[in-house]
Amino acid sequence: AVETEGKKRKWHGSVSGIVDSPLDKVWTIVSQSKRLSQWMPMVERCIDLVGDEGVPGYVRLVSGFMFPQQDGERSWIKERLVAMDSTSHSYVYKMEASNVGLDGSINSLKLIDYGDGSTLVNWSFEIDPLEGTLEDNIIDYLGFLYKSCINRIQGAIEDANKKVYETC
C-alpha cells in the first residue's frame, strides 16, 4: 500500500448516548476540566498547564487509570484544546503526549438537543494505528471507555445539584 504524503490512515470510532437532562446542564458538566472526574470515573486528576480553559491552545494534564499500565503506574495524557464552540456545544482535544501510546489522537465531543429535556452526546475519536494492536480491539475498548463516561453524565448532573465540588 502506498502512503500518500507520508500520512498513515487513522483509526476512527464513535459512541453516542442520551442523557436525560437539558443541553445546557450537560454542557456545563462536560465543558469544564475541573469536573472531568465527576463523569470520567478513571480520571483522578486534571491539572491546567497552559492557557485558559475553553480557549483553543489550552493544555491540561489528565491522570488516572484510563489505560492499565504494565508497571501499575497511573496513565497520564497531556491534551491540547483544538476548538471549542459553546454555541454548537462541541469541542475537540488532541492528545499531545502520554504514557498510553495515543499521542496524536483527536477526541471530539458534540451535544445535540434531543427534545423533552434530553441531550444526545456524540463522542468521536481518531487515533494513529498502534503497532501490535488490532484496530477493532482498540476501537472497541475506547468506545466502551467513552460510552461508560457518557452513561455517568446524568449522575454527575444530579450530584452537582446536591453539592458543590472542589475537585480535579
Side-chain angles (χ1 to χ4, degrees), residues 2 7 9 17 20 27-28 34-35 64 67-68 84 86 92 100-101 108 113 119 123 138 141-142 144 149 151 164 168:
V2 178
K7 293 199 176 201
R9 183 183 74 82
D20 191 23
W27 180 246
T28 297
K34 72 177 186 287
R35 295 186 130 165
F67 302 93
M84 181 174 272
S86 55
V92 178
V100 299
S108 304
D113 187 336
T119 303
W123 193 331
I138 191 71
Y141 179 75
L142 291 172
F144 170 78
C149 294
N151 291 341
V164 176
C168 186

Side-chain angles (χ1 to χ4, degrees), residues 4-152:
T4 55
E5 300 172 28
K7 293 199 176 201
K8 292 180 183 172
R9 183 183 74 82
K10 301 260 189 195
W11 293 350
H12 295 269
S14 67
V15 292
S16 298
I18 304 290
V19 178
D20 191 23
S21 287
L23 186 70
D24 290 339
K25 284 193 175 192
V26 176
W27 180 246
T28 297
I29 292 284
V30 303
S31 64
Q32 297 178 25
S33 290
K34 72 177 186 287
R35 295 186 130 165
L36 269 185
S37 61
Q38 295 174 23
W39 62 283
M40 292 184 157
M42 66 297 245
V43 170
E44 288 182 325
R45 295 183 42 202
C46 180
I47 301 166
D48 298 334
L49 294 180
V50 176
D52 297 317
E53 183 174 18
V55 178
Y58 164 73
V59 179
R60 67 187 183 191
L61 181 66
V62 179
S63 61
F65 294 97
M66 291 81 75
F67 302 93
Q69 300 298 304
Q70 289 180 341
D71 57 10
E73 287 296 309
R74 285 168 173 73
S75 309
W76 61 268
I77 301 169
K78 185 172 123 182
E79 298 179 313
R80 177 177 299 276
L81 181 63
V82 176
M84 181 174 272
D85 184 348
S86 55
T87 307
S88 69
H89 300 93
S90 63
Y91 59 76
V92 178
Y93 272 96
K94 180 175 184 178
M95 295 182 186
E96 294 201 322
S98 71
N99 66 346
V100 299
L102 293 175
D103 301 11
S105 301
I106 295 178
N107 282 289
S108 304
L109 193 83
K110 179 160 181 54
L111 306 181
I112 299 161
D113 187 336
Y114 205 67
D116 292 330
S118 62
T119 303
L120 174 65
V121 179
N122 186 33
W123 193 331
S124 58
F125 53 94
E126 68 175 42
I127 65 172
D128 290 322
L130 294 172
E131 214 155 305
T133 305
L134 291 174
E135 179 176 358
D136 287 349
N137 290 355
I138 191 71
I139 296 300
D140 287 350
Y141 179 75
L142 291 172
F144 170 78
L145 199 65
Y146 298 152
K147 181 74 173 177
S148 70
C149 294
I150 291 171
N151 291 341
R152 289 182 61 107

